[in-house]
Amino acid sequence: MDIKDVLQALAPAGGGVTGGSTPAIDPDDLLRDLVSAGLGAIALPGVGNTLARWRLFAAVAERDLAAIKLVEGHADALAILAELDGPDPAPGSLWATWSAEPPTARVQARPGPDGGAVLTGTKAWCSGAAAVTHAVVSAWNADGKPVLVAVAMNQPGVTVTDRGWHAVGMEATYSVEVDFAQADAHWVGRPGQYVGRPGFWHGGAGIAACWYGGACAIANAVRHACAAAAHRPDNAAPSGASAALSFRLAHLGAIEVALGQTASLLREAAAWIDAHPKQDAMAIALRVRASAEATATLVLDHAGRALGATPYCRDPRYARMAADLPVFIRQSHAEQDLAALARTQLDAPENSWGL
């Protein structure tokens, strides 16, 4: 089975408000299936086919947001290891990328035997911690500089706790805290290189494709409901459309505009990254992330007003998506990101917004 076969198996069956009330996917199982099917061979960002990578992200996200959180983390880890000459991932290994840096949970990395590193401390927000075999982890060296390390999870110095995750949305990612107690690790790149490398913003832009896929799932619920209503005999002709259907169609129209805008930006961003793989993609990434976040928020709002309470209460897949998506898009830094994007434009030429 290849990746296309795995994705085809994810497609919801017909019927139901969202196109099928299919059971929840086990994110851990899906990650294993995709790795077995060749996930490690998908295009790296910035090497000529970034859009294919993002299309995969969006396709998985449209089916299950907890699953794409783990899949994207694995793919990002492989991209980091490739860009920074990290250790080669073993066949079949499952990776995560844990780079959140809350002030209350910092990991210290110190020189270990044979040129390696030793980790001590607690890492927060570790999605998929109970499933992955390895992780790329951000830490701090003895000089107080940020570093990256690669760590194997199956060793005595690593403990996956049950702390720090009480979510309803994105519950299945099981993003708990992980304790490191003199755990062995490998250095990845040089201090400060994680954020300073071109691929940092390539990965940041890829998250927007995940948010976009989740928004498409909610949007499809509205489209299916509108199509079902429009095909009823009393609503088949435009002149016979009920007022309720007309209002629903207006919501679907607003959703269509927003999705189209973000899809265009994603395609444009992917093309720009492939054409300028070594250039700073901060502005490109922040712009497409802001667009995807705004679109997801708009889609959730219009879908709720178009469909009412029924899918929240009677369609388990829709209810999961509607709970997961608001949590996932909070990976954005909101107004901080908008302000950072604005700063990139302060010295831009006057015609930078011209067509």
Side-chain angles (χ1 to χ4, degrees):
M1 179 177 285
D2 63 17
I3 288 179
K4 289 183 178 178
D5 294 328
V6 175
L7 294 179
Q8 183 62 35
L10 295 178
V17 173
T18 60
S21 297
T22 50
I25 286 174
D26 185 315
D28 305 347
D29 288 345
L30 176 61
L31 178 58
R32 292 188 192 96
D33 288 346
L34 285 173
V35 168
S36 297
L39 181 61
I42 68 167
L44 295 173
V47 298
N49 205 0
T50 299
L51 186 58
R53 179 184 182 87
W54 292 358
R55 282 174 173 161
L56 173 65
F57 289 174
V60 176
E62 189 170 347
R63 183 57 184 87
D64 191 281
L65 287 172
I68 190 53
K69 180 67 174 174
L70 271 59
V71 169
E72 188 279 331
H74 173 91
D76 191 36
L78 299 192
I80 292 167
L81 295 174
E83 188 173 2
L84 299 184
D85 296 322
D88 292 330
S93 56
L94 309 180
W95 286 76
T97 305
W98 299 331
S99 57
E101 289 291 343
T104 57
R106 282 192 165 188
V107 174
Q108 305 298 320
R110 300 293 183 263
D114 302 321
V118 175
L119 304 185
T120 302
T122 296
K123 196 68 180 172
W125 309 101
C126 298
S127 297
V132 298
T133 60
H134 298 76
V136 173
V137 179
S138 64
W140 298 84
N141 67 14
D143 296 325
K145 295 181 179 179
V147 294
L148 278 185
V149 295
V151 60
M153 297 295 290
N154 184 23
Q155 57 173 298
V158 179
T159 301
V160 178
T161 76
D162 59 0
R163 303 190 309 264
W165 194 241
H166 305 286
V168 175
M170 300 297 282
E171 177 185 18
T173 63
Y174 198 59
S175 301
V176 295
E177 295 179 353
V178 174
D179 291 335
F180 296 101
Q182 298 295 303
D184 294 328
H186 298 275
W187 301 105
V188 177
R190 301 185 301 276
Q193 201 172 12
Y194 169 57
V195 174
R197 67 195 171 91
F200 176 78
W201 287 111
H202 301 168
I207 294 294
C210 304
W211 297 344
Y212 176 80
C216 286
I218 299 294
N220 276 326
V222 182
R223 178 160 58 186
H224 291 145
C226 287
H231 293 154
R232 290 201 306 264
D234 55 330
N235 288 329
S239 60
S242 69
L245 175 56
S246 295
F247 289 131
R248 233 177 218 182
L249 288 171
H251 289 301
L252 181 58
I255 287 170
E256 157 65 17
V257 171
L259 288 175
Q261 291 169 342
T262 296
S264 294
L265 273 180
L266 281 164
R267 288 189 286 266
E268 180 182 309
W272 189 94
I273 287 170
D274 285 336
H276 309 88
K278 300 301 183 182
Q279 291 190 28
D280 184 359
M282 177 181 176
I284 297 291
L286 289 176
R287 185 181 301 121
V288 75
R289 283 167 64 99
S291 178
E293 179 189 356
T295 289
T297 301
L298 180 145
V299 169
L300 284 164
D301 182 47
H302 279 283
R305 288 154 62 191
L307 302 177
T310 297
Y312 293 101
C313 304
R314 295 190 174 184
D315 189 311
R317 179 169 176 256
Y318 184 95
R320 285 195 303 273
M321 279 285 180
D324 288 349
L325 189 53
V327 176
F328 200 174
I329 62 175
R330 290 280 49 84
Q331 191 170 331
S332 155
H333 297 110
E335 282 71 19
Q336 292 183 53
D337 283 351
L338 292 175
L341 176 58
R343 290 189 188 96
T344 69
Q345 299 302 307
L346 294 179
D347 297 318
E350 288 295 322
N351 64 348
S352 64
W353 291 323
L355 290 176

